Amino acid sequence: MSNETVSPGGANQLRKNSLGVGAVTFLVVSAAAPLTAVAGGVPLSMMLGNGAGIPLTFAFVTAVLLLFAVGYVAMARHISNAGAFYAYTAQGLGGLAGGAAALIAILAYNAMQIGVLGLFGAATAGFFAGYGIDVPWWVWTYLCIALVAVFGYRRVDFSARVLAVLVVLEYLVVLVIDAAIFIKGGDSGLSAVPFTPSAFMSGTPAIGILFCFAAFIGFEATTIYSEEAREPEKTVPRATYISVVLIGVFYMLTSWLMVNGAGVDKLVPEIQGLADPTTFLFGLADRYVGNGITTIMGILFITSLFAGVVAFHNGVARYMYVAGREGLLPKALGVTHPVFQSPHAGSVVQTVIAVVVVALFAFAGLDPVLALFSWLTNVGTLAIILLMALTAFSIVAFFGRNPGLEGSKLATVVLPVLTGLILAALVFYIATNFGALAGAEGPLAVFLPGLVLIAAVIGLFCALRLKSGDAIAFARLGVGR
């Protein structure tokens, strides 16, 4: 994000020294889409999860992710690879597991990006319909895909600069609402009840925890940009911790003020009484700030979704690039643009996938929110939490074979095992309750989470093919440049 001279790097490499701590942090925070999370995810987590206990749930999830980050950044100090989860799994659990992780990651970020595209189309169509411009949701979605394709094709620091502006505006508009609720004392005074164990255990805490984890999806992407970061051994750890703390404190504070804005006892009935629970924050904005801010929020909600799509697109493109570069996928994917040094081939392939999937949903007449967004983002969430669990156990295995690299058993054994078990339990819960969580019925409730297993099997076969054809390349999976 500074004006420092950028080292272009060698041929067929990502653009080195392009990103500082601030740039990586903005790319990561934009994937978490803070306004989208607090306007869309938080009310649903309150209604379906543990109600007024969501602020403490965010505190719990933030603590778990900070514990996970200890081993994660320890690994990042020794492996600089845009493949992130894939690279760590390959170096920790072996090339076959790494191949499975690579395809799971590609599925995960594709699903997250295309799912968010559905919500973007619906939100944009709804916003402009209020001004007499009534066009189908998929028209707006395709316009978004085209614009994102330009961002993905160009230099990554171009995306970082644009996302920095959008993310700052997102935070500012929510903080204005937070300040108004705080100053006016909420519905009946500011209460600490949301931070009590009884509030945390109310309703269905497991669903609340799941929603809170989903709100952080994207924080892990700091390592995806390790090959493009300045001093990655310092930039990646700093950006990881800053991202988790920034996102966590923001969600915890905002959800606490949202609870107080409605009133602890009135919260869940009020959200349940809304035709659309995602209008809850807009209602609080009207009540505590005034009507004018909701129009601004509507615009920023759309730009928040756009920022998230760009961030996930960048992640997919880099995973495809690394998988192609290291021989798991066709070599044609493992190339960078001669001028921008972006993973342009992966970007183009991802764009084509998005065009096709959106066309299928539009042609079938499926709802862009209840189907496209809900189904695919839940698949993505399941896949990413599974990757985090694999990474946690990979950390233990990697440092077990290389005990001299890090001196702390807490960072390399205790915390990774603890967080790995928590994440594995979440994977089991999501997989066994997928239909209820994603709103999918019948065979879809089995097929959709089954996509993660299918991706893993494909990745395993890709790794086996590489092992039989090029044993040296197989042995180097995850090593990077």
Side-chain angles (χ1 to χ4, degrees), residues 99 103 327-329 457-467:
L103 270 291
L328 287 170
L329 294 181
V457 171
I458 293 172
L460 180 64
F461 277 109
C462 288
L464 284 170
R465 176 188 56 80
L466 180 63
K467 184 178 182 181

Side-chain angles (χ1 to χ4, degrees), residues 206-469:
I207 292 179
I209 292 171
L210 173 60
F211 268 96
C212 290
F213 261 102
F216 280 87
I217 294 298
F219 95 92
E220 74 290 340
T222 49
T223 54
I224 290 176
Y225 301 102
S226 59
E227 294 185 32
E228 297 156 278
R230 291 190 291 272
E231 297 182 286
E233 68 283 353
K234 296 179 181 178
T235 297
V236 170
R238 289 172 184 169
T240 301
Y241 285 123
I242 290 171
S243 299
V244 174
V245 172
L246 184 64
I247 296 169
V249 171
F250 175 75
Y251 286 156
M252 185 173 59
L253 173 66
T254 299
S255 61
W256 173 65
L257 289 165
M258 289 170 71
V259 171
N260 280 283
V264 174
D265 297 326
K266 303 175 185 177
L267 175 70
V268 174
E270 181 174 331
I271 298 175
Q272 289 174 336
L274 296 172
D276 179 2
T278 63
T279 61
F280 176 63
L281 184 64
F282 288 80
L284 290 177
D286 272 342
R287 177 177 172 183
Y288 288 95
V289 182
N291 294 333
I293 197 172
T294 55
T295 301
I296 298 173
M297 287 177 64
I299 296 171
L300 290 176
F301 183 66
I302 293 170
T303 61
S304 172
L305 292 166
F306 173 77
V309 171
V310 171
F312 286 125
H313 179 93
N314 283 332
V316 175
R318 279 154 183 77
Y319 269 111
M320 286 185 173
Y321 161 71
V322 171
R325 181 182 71 186
E326 301 192 0
L328 287 170
L329 294 181
K331 290 289 187 181
L333 288 172
V335 297
T336 54
H337 193 277
V339 177
F340 301 129
Q341 292 187 277
S342 62
H344 66 298
S347 174
V348 170
V349 170
Q350 202 288 321
T351 297
V352 172
I353 293 172
V355 167
V356 172
V357 174
V358 169
L360 290 174
F361 275 78
F363 182 77
L366 294 169
D367 190 278
V369 178
L370 299 180
L372 183 55
F373 173 73
S374 181
W375 295 352
L376 294 195
T377 55
N378 274 284
V379 169
T381 299
L382 171 62
I384 289 174
I385 294 178
L386 173 58
L387 287 169
M388 291 174 66
L390 288 172
T391 299
F393 296 121
S394 298
I395 293 166
V396 178
F398 176 78
F399 287 111
R401 291 197 305 273
N402 302 277
L405 294 180
E406 295 281 335
S408 172
K409 292 293 184 183
L410 182 67
T412 60
V413 179
V414 178
L415 294 182
V417 168
L418 175 62
T419 54
L421 291 173
I422 293 172
L423 293 164
L426 276 174
V427 169
F428 178 79
Y429 182 82
I430 298 170
T432 54
N433 294 276
F434 191 89
L437 294 169
E441 299 178 349
L444 271 177
V446 177
F447 172 73
L448 288 171
L451 288 172
V452 179
L453 180 60
I454 292 171
V457 171
I458 293 172
L460 180 64
F461 277 109
C462 288
L464 284 170
R465 176 188 56 80
L466 180 63
K467 184 178 182 181
S468 63

Side-chain angles (χ1 to χ4, degrees), residues 7-291:
S7 171
N12 193 31
Q13 292 186 29
L14 295 170
R15 193 174 181 84
K16 294 182 179 299
N17 301 318
S18 301
L19 306 171
V21 175
V24 175
T25 301
F26 280 120
L27 283 164
V28 168
V29 172
S30 62
L35 179 56
T36 300
V38 297
V42 170
L44 288 171
S45 69
M46 292 171 171
M47 182 175 72
L48 303 174
N50 48 342
I54 287 298
L56 184 55
T57 308
F58 270 123
F60 168 76
V61 171
T62 302
V64 171
L65 293 178
L66 283 173
L67 295 178
F68 170 80
V70 174
Y72 192 54
V73 300
M75 196 89 160
R77 284 192 285 269
H78 305 285
I79 298 176
S80 179
N81 190 313
F85 286 147
Y86 142 72
Y88 294 173
T89 302
Q91 286 295 294
L93 301 180
L96 297 180
L103 270 291
I104 292 173
I106 290 171
L107 168 69
Y109 286 95
N110 265 299
M112 292 300 295
Q113 191 219 15
I114 298 170
V116 174
L117 279 169
L119 183 55
F120 175 90
T124 309
F127 179 83
F128 282 101
Y131 294 91
I133 304 173
D134 195 2
V135 296
W137 66 269
W138 50 265
V139 173
W140 297 109
T141 295
Y142 278 126
L143 286 173
C144 181
I145 290 173
L147 188 56
V148 169
V150 175
F151 277 73
Y153 201 84
R154 289 176 58 87
R155 283 170 42 178
V156 68
D157 50 337
F158 173 69
S159 294
R161 285 194 293 270
V162 174
L163 296 184
V165 174
L166 298 180
V167 168
V168 168
L169 292 175
E170 284 184 60
Y171 272 98
L172 285 177
V173 73
V174 177
L175 290 174
V176 167
I177 300 169
D178 288 348
I181 296 173
F182 184 82
I183 292 169
K184 295 181 180 180
D187 179 74
S188 52
L190 299 176
S191 171
V193 168
F195 292 108
T196 61
S198 59
F200 179 84
M201 296 305 298
S202 65
T204 311
I207 292 179
I209 292 171
L210 173 60
F211 268 96
C212 290
F213 261 102
F216 280 87
I217 294 298
F219 95 92
E220 74 290 340
T222 49
T223 54
I224 290 176
Y225 301 102
S226 59
E227 294 185 32
E228 297 156 278
R230 291 190 291 272
E231 297 182 286
E233 68 283 353
K234 296 179 181 178
T235 297
V236 170
R238 289 172 184 169
T240 301
Y241 285 123
I242 290 171
S243 299
V244 174
V245 172
L246 184 64
I247 296 169
V249 171
F250 175 75
Y251 286 156
M252 185 173 59
L253 173 66
T254 299
S255 61
W256 173 65
L257 289 165
M258 289 170 71
V259 171
N260 280 283
V264 174
D265 297 326
K266 303 175 185 177
L267 175 70
V268 174
E270 181 174 331
I271 298 175
Q272 289 174 336
L274 296 172
D276 179 2
T278 63
T279 61
F280 176 63
L281 184 64
F282 288 80
L284 290 177
D286 272 342
R287 177 177 172 183
Y288 288 95
V289 182
N291 294 333

